Amino acid sequence: MPAELIDGKAIAATIRGEIRDAVAKRTASGLRPPGLAVILVGENPASQSYVRSKGKACREAGFHSVQIDRPATITEAELLALVDECNNDAAIDGILVQLPLPRHIDESRVIDRIDPRKDVDGFHPVSVGNLVLDKPGFISCTPKGIQELLVRSGVETKGKFAVIVGRSNIVGKPMAALLMRKGRGGDATVCVCHSATPDLAAVTRQADILIAAVGRAEVIDGSMLKPGAVVIDVGINRVEDPAAAKGYRIVGDVAFDSASAVASKITPVPGGVGPMTIAMLLQNTLESAVQHDTAE
Ligand code: BQF
């Protein structure tokens, strides 16, 4: 019997509906809609597509949505000045600088410039510190979305052995912090594997919950899983496929068919983690707006 599908697209749509209702209530009572500013530098097609999806999701939820496009030739100083403008704009609750940035710009310097009260991507060092210290603050959208996916799919994390493959700042590290926290969607025993892990399969075979965030196509297969494991696939990889309409198709970090034969639950790619990332961006921006109301 193949694994049950964790339908991220459907769960994300439910969450976006909840957010839309909350926004409608706000505006009906005279409060302003949450505002998100997305800064896009250059013309990376994947980035353009991600930014479009974010703007569309914002508009559908009733947010005030601003997209700020700048050429790849923008200087770091100009970009920092733009972040400052957004920091000082009272209609903006969330600021997102789409990554990656051109090589001549220091990403970390730009992220550091975002007011942590508007850091809806959760990438600022203050946000990361708050997460680890269990203090209130914004949580990186992809790991937050994965935790929400597990909770809403009825996957118990407490007391489970969770293995994360990949140690990035955006997924692996914050995912580990979230799963080891106390409470809902937490209380797991967490292990983080990476390129220097000697026998990856020996570790992944112990996982009750496996989170694949490697960034390489289909490197996790069924032989690396414990029977009944819950598998979350964070990967978005292009593989050439002459038979596909665009000449390529998108696959995850998990070999889906092989893994599905062993796992109890699994997320698809596309339609798994990706849509949850967008839903959590909206949730963070709504939370930010609520914070800004009470601060006035
Ligand atoms: C889906 C991202 C790598 C690097 C920078 C839905 C998205 C993706 C997939 C999406 C991602 C990945 C985003 C699906 C935003 C997630 O249906 O499977 C939505 O828009 N994402 C990003 O902004 O920057 C990235 C991945």
Side-chain angles (χ1 to χ4, degrees), residues 21-276:
D21 293 346
V23 171
K25 260 195 192 149
R26 279 178 63 81
T27 47
S29 72
L31 292 167
R32 59 185 178 74
L36 178 67
V38 177
I39 301 174
L40 174 60
V41 178
E43 297 185 356
N44 178 324
S47 293
Q48 288 172 327
S49 149
Y50 292 144
V51 167
R52 259 198 312 277
S53 320
K54 291 170 190 180
K56 180 165 176 273
C58 279
R59 287 188 295 279
E60 284 173 3
F63 284 25
H64 168 60
S65 164
V66 189
Q67 184 180 329
I68 306 168
D69 293 315
R70 288 294 181 270
T73 52
I74 190 174
T75 65
E76 188 178 287
E78 287 167 336
L79 184 54
L80 292 173
L82 189 56
V83 171
D84 285 338
E85 270 182 51
C86 295
N87 282 338
N88 295 323
D89 186 339
I92 296 301
D93 301 289
I95 304 167
L96 179 161
V97 180
Q98 185 65 38
L99 302 181
L101 288 170
R103 279 194 318 277
H104 67 279
I105 298 175
D106 183 341
E107 274 181 7
S108 121
R109 217 175 288 160
V110 176
I111 291 166
D112 289 5
R113 191 69 156 241
I114 297 171
D115 185 331
R117 289 170 301 186
K118 300 190 178 188
D119 176 37
V120 290
D121 255 346
F123 295 164
H124 192 285
V126 166
S127 302
V128 177
N130 284 332
L131 165 63
V132 172
L133 296 173
D134 255 316
K135 294 179 175 182
F138 294 112
I139 295 168
S140 180
C141 299
T142 298
K144 182 172 170 159
I146 291 169
Q147 186 178 53
E148 195 62 36
L149 210 48
L150 291 171
V151 170
R152 292 197 186 221
S153 310
V155 175
E156 178 63 84
T157 53
K158 186 175 183 172
K160 296 300 162 69
F161 190 57
V163 174
I164 300 160
V165 189
R167 55 178 156 180
S168 72
N169 290 336
I170 292 176
V171 184
K173 277 189 228 173
M175 189 77 253
L178 271 180
L179 288 168
M180 73 170 75
R181 289 212 299 195
K182 288 182 179 165
R184 167 185 178 272
D187 292 313
T189 303
V190 178
C191 172
V192 180
C193 302
H194 45 73
S195 50
T197 301
D199 188 354
L200 178 62
V203 184
T204 58
R205 269 186 216 115
Q206 297 175 55
D208 301 306
I209 300 168
L210 182 87
I211 299 181
V214 200
R216 296 179 58 159
E218 300 180 324
V219 291
I220 307 288
D221 66 26
S223 75
M224 302 169 73
L225 300 174
K226 171 156 112 177
V230 173
V231 177
I232 305 293
D233 190 352
V234 188
I236 302 177
N237 308 288
R238 263 189 196 197
V239 295
E240 277 187 52
D241 181 357
K246 294 177 183 163
Y248 67 87
R249 70 202 154 83
I250 300 292
V251 301
D253 293 347
V254 177
F256 184 87
D257 292 342
S258 154
S260 173
V262 183
S264 62
K265 295 184 176 176
I266 187 167
T267 60
V269 175
V273 173
M276 291 299 289

